[in-house]
């Protein structure tokens, strides 16, 4: 039985726990690992956002910078010349899409996927109600204060190191214990900066700085994250650990061949108590959730 929460996202309250909410992914980027370049065109991006809503997404998460290793930007340290996605570029990608989606679907719940405080502020002012920060407010020192001032919803995701450090990172002795401890510390820091507890959702960050083997303890022991006493989001859609598990003839399954593995993994996290599932495949995930919610 997963705990029930009310998520205060500023302009409204979303009930969490009675059924799984679906967060549809809309990457307005040329280099995201799954759909990079598909929705860089404004009209295609807006059409896809509306399609996600039609297919069952409760939230559409709009992102303008990829954080996969080797992508332009990829969470590089401030001042690092490899960060080639400027704030201006990110704003130019996400703001028109958020504004258009809000105009065409005024009741849509929109999220901005960004670790940049200025982008977060502009996106919320344009109509987004949630800031989804893969760095849990750690990469931009202004983010926590900005989110507190905006009084919007927030997702704090766990990431081990930065993407350019993942390949050389030593494995954790107990990945679940590590993720729980750090998420608790980062949520406490956000609270100290003025972000209200009822505005935060935590995400253990499948794949983000975790090696192949470490993702499975996160799945198997996902219910342990309820000890943090926050709502939980899980993003497993099309991740590389699924591709590796489905490998054939020595080759990982390609991104487009991970649907069945994805929905199986999404069913697991729902049964383990996820409140929100972030996915590329809104229709498939929403149908899985309708079944899994009966026993979650």
């Amino acid at each position: 039985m997963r705990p029930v929460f009310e998520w205060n996202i500023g302009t409204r309250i979303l009930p969490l726990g009675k059924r799984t909410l679906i967060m549809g992914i809309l990457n307005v980027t040329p280099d995201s690992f799954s759909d990079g370049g598909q929705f860089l065109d404004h009209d295609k991006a807006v059409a896809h956002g509306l399609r996600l809503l039609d297919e069952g997404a409760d939230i559409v998460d709009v992102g303008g910078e990829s954080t996969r290793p080797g992508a332009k930007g990829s969470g590089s340290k401030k001042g690092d010349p490899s960060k080639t996605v400027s704030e201006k570029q990110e704003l130019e990608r996400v703001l028109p899409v958020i504004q258009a989606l809000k105009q065409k679907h005024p009741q849509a719940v929109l999220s901005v996927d960004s670790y940049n405080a200025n982008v977060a502020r502009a996106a919320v002012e344009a109509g987004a109600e949630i800031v989804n920060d893969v760095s849990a407010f750690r990469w931009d020192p202004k983010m926590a204060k900005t989110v507190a001032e905006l009084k919007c919803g927030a997702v704090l995701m766990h990431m081990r190191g930065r993407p350019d450090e993942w390949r050389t990172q030593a494995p954790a002795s107990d990945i679940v214990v590590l993720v729980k401890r750090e998420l608790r510390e980062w949520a406490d820091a956000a609270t100290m900066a003025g972000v209200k507890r009822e505005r935060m959702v935590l995400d253990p960050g499948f794949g983000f700085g975790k090696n192949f083997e470490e993702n499975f303890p996160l799945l198997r022991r996902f219910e342990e994250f309820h000890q943090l006493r926050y709502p939980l989001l899980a993003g497993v859609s099309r991740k590389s650990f699924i591709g590796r598990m489905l490998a054939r003839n020595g080759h990982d399954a390609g991104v487009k061949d991970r649907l069945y593995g994805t929905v199986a993994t999404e069913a697991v996290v729902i049964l383990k108590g996820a409140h929100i599932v972030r996915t590329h495949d809104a229709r498939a995930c929403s149908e899985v959730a309708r079944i899994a919610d009966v026993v979650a």
Side-chain angles (χ1 to χ4, degrees):
M1 193 77 177
R2 64 186 161 197
V4 175
F5 296 90
E6 290 188 336
W7 190 16
N8 188 327
I9 60 171
T11 60
R12 56 184 133 183
I13 292 176
L14 296 182
L16 299 178
K18 295 180 180 178
R19 69 173 181 88
T20 305
L21 297 191
I22 309 303
M23 176 183 277
I25 299 168
L26 177 52
N27 289 318
V28 194
T29 61
D31 49 7
S32 291
F33 84 95
S34 176
D35 51 8
Q38 288 188 44
F39 309 116
L40 194 57
D41 175 81
H42 172 79
D43 291 340
K44 289 181 180 179
V46 174
H48 186 61
L50 294 172
R51 188 179 309 116
L52 289 169
L53 292 166
D54 288 342
E55 291 179 349
D58 301 283
I59 304 164
V60 174
D61 190 36
V62 183
E65 178 180 352
S66 173
T67 49
R68 70 172 178 81
K72 294 181 177 181
S74 65
S76 302
K77 295 179 181 177
K78 234 175 190 21
D80 187 324
S82 67
K83 179 172 174 52
T84 55
V85 177
S86 68
E87 181 180 297
K88 181 174 180 291
Q89 286 176 307
E90 192 177 356
L91 287 167
E92 288 174 346
R93 290 174 180 178
V94 302
L95 288 189
V97 174
I98 290 171
Q99 291 165 342
L101 287 173
K102 207 64 179 176
Q103 183 179 31
K104 294 177 180 294
H105 200 312
Q107 294 305 308
V109 180
L110 305 180
S111 170
V112 62
D113 179 2
S114 181
Y115 56 84
N116 183 304
N118 292 334
V119 172
R121 182 180 294 279
V124 171
E125 291 173 350
E129 297 170 78
I130 300 162
V131 173
N132 180 15
D133 186 343
V134 297
S135 80
F137 300 169
R138 295 176 300 125
W139 290 355
D140 188 333
K142 299 182 297 181
M143 182 63 97
K145 183 179 178 182
T146 298
V147 168
E149 291 173 353
L150 292 170
K151 298 180 179 179
C152 59
V155 177
L156 281 66
M157 194 197 78
H158 184 276
M159 185 189 298
R160 289 194 71 206
R162 292 177 181 263
D164 55 3
E165 301 168 335
W166 291 351
R167 297 183 190 280
T168 58
Q169 201 159 232
S173 58
D174 187 323
I175 189 65
V176 176
V177 170
L178 172 68
V179 173
K180 279 196 298 183
R181 184 183 74 245
E182 293 187 338
L183 277 178
R184 182 181 289 111
E185 291 172 358
W186 302 340
D188 288 347
T191 302
M192 292 294 291
V195 182
K196 299 293 186 183
R197 185 183 183 93
E198 62 267 22
R199 299 190 188 280
M200 288 189 279
V201 168
L202 303 185
D203 175 358
F206 286 91
F208 281 82
K210 290 83 174 175
N211 64 34
F212 171 71
E213 292 82 5
E214 288 174 333
N215 288 283
F216 295 97
L218 291 180
L219 276 177
R220 186 169 56 252
R221 297 164 55 191
F222 188 85
E223 69 275 9
E224 292 184 32
F225 294 110
H226 291 304
Q227 297 167 9
L228 297 171
R229 299 175 62 192
Y230 282 91
L232 301 175
L233 182 148
V236 296
S237 182
R238 304 185 190 178
K239 292 288 177 72
S240 60
F241 75 91
I242 296 174
R244 183 170 171 184
M245 180 56 71
L246 300 178
R248 292 185 179 181
N249 302 318
H251 298 285
D252 291 1
V255 171
K256 303 301 182 186
D257 297 318
R258 299 175 188 172
L259 175 61
Y260 299 142
T262 289
V263 295
T265 310
E266 289 171 342
V268 171
V269 294
I270 293 170
L271 293 172
K272 294 283 187 176
H275 296 84
I276 306 167
V277 176
R278 185 176 182 270
T279 188
H280 297 86
D281 304 289
R283 179 176 178 180
C285 186
S286 63
E287 290 181 356
V288 166
R290 288 177 65 183
I291 302 300
D293 279 345
V294 176
V295 294

